[in-house]
Amino acid sequence: MRALIVEDDPALAADLVAAFREAGFAVDGAADGEEAAHMGATAAYDVAILDIGLPGRDGVAVLSAWRAAGAALPVLALTARDAWADKARAFRAGADDYVTKPFFMPEVILRARSLIRRAAGHASAGIVAGALAHDPELGVFTLDAAPLRLTAFEARVLGYMIHHAGRVLSRTEISEHVYEDGVDRDFGSLEVVIRRLRGKIGAHRIETLRGRGYRLLAL
Ligand code: CA
């Protein structure tokens, strides 16, 4: 999963980026509204954490720009305590949830994961695809209830695939959701990860559709 963090306070932005990376996300950061408006409208993010109090083009204007550009990504707004007007404006502009500052970092990550899960159409906290299950909160994957040992990158790829099990995912789509901005998106290394995942979860669970991509099957 890939997250966009928009926060102009450098220390808080660094904390958010570090915490989301630690939680397994590919993370891009933006410190001003112009940059954020462009990134959220043009790149593929699974969630955005958006500070409403940005200098210049504020978070609500950024969010309005995303929605006007057709970007449907889930958005968790960061607002000042008691700033009811900001919260109302954020929701009207298309925010999905908010937390007030100062916040407890695990809560931000919990809410972000919940938004991602709901956006992918999963109502329960755990995501199941046949014998394969994933608990996003704990970051755990199991096969027939036995924990799988995955590298961070394998977990990121499988996490995206299990959220979208049954759907054909092109290599481009998967790449967009597992690599950070500025990282060379190498289909070769993605193929290597898919091969390793097949070895760990059973080759028959990841179907290759020639010229179209991969599909995780709920078997
Ligand atoms: Ca701010």
Side-chain angles (χ1 to χ4, degrees):
M1 295 295 169
R2 186 172 169 208
L4 173 60
I5 309 280
V6 184
E7 172 56 64
D8 63 300
D9 176 329
L12 186 54
D15 283 353
L16 281 161
V17 168
F20 273 76
R21 284 207 178 114
E22 175 70 19
F25 285 82
V27 185
D28 297 335
D32 70 76
E34 288 302 325
E35 188 185 20
H38 175 74
M39 290 169 82
T42 57
Y45 293 102
D46 297 289
V47 69
I49 311 306
L50 176 63
D51 180 28
I52 295 304
L54 295 172
R57 195 170 185 177
D58 84 349
V60 172
V62 169
L63 180 48
S64 300
W66 290 346
R67 296 310 190 215
L73 77 170
V75 173
L76 177 61
L78 304 179
T79 68
R81 188 176 293 281
D82 301 328
W84 164 248
D86 277 357
K87 288 168 198 161
R89 284 170 62 233
F91 276 112
R92 274 200 300 274
D96 299 281
D97 194 7
Y98 71 88
V99 286
T100 53
K101 295 178 176 181
F103 50 74
F104 182 48
M105 191 64 79
E107 183 182 348
V108 175
I109 290 171
L110 196 76
R111 285 179 185 272
R113 283 183 165 142
S114 165
L115 290 178
I116 290 170
R117 177 169 62 67
R118 295 298 305 201
H122 301 280
S124 318
I127 297 172
V128 176
L132 198 63
H134 175 44
D135 183 330
E137 266 64 70
L138 300 175
V140 173
F141 291 85
T142 56
L143 180 65
D144 288 322
L148 287 166
R149 294 177 68 87
L150 303 176
T151 66
F153 193 65
E154 288 166 359
R156 204 185 283 165
V157 172
L158 188 59
Y160 187 74
M161 294 185 83
I162 198 169
H163 273 77
H164 301 283
R167 188 157 74 71
V168 180
L169 307 171
S170 70
R171 291 187 302 181
T172 302
E173 177 178 344
I174 298 172
S175 298
E176 281 175 342
H177 289 271
V178 299
Y179 288 110
E180 299 186 346
D181 202 19
V183 175
D184 220 6
R185 285 179 198 158
D186 177 7
F187 285 163
S189 58
L190 182 61
E191 279 164 19
V192 169
V193 170
I194 296 284
R195 198 178 314 135
R196 282 205 232 109
L197 283 171
R198 282 190 167 124
K200 294 182 179 184
I201 68 171
H204 59 293
R205 289 198 168 82
I206 300 178
E207 188 183 16
T208 301
L209 295 104
R210 245 188 127 68
R212 293 177 62 203
Y214 301 106
R215 176 160 54 193
L216 182 71
L217 300 174
L219 300 173

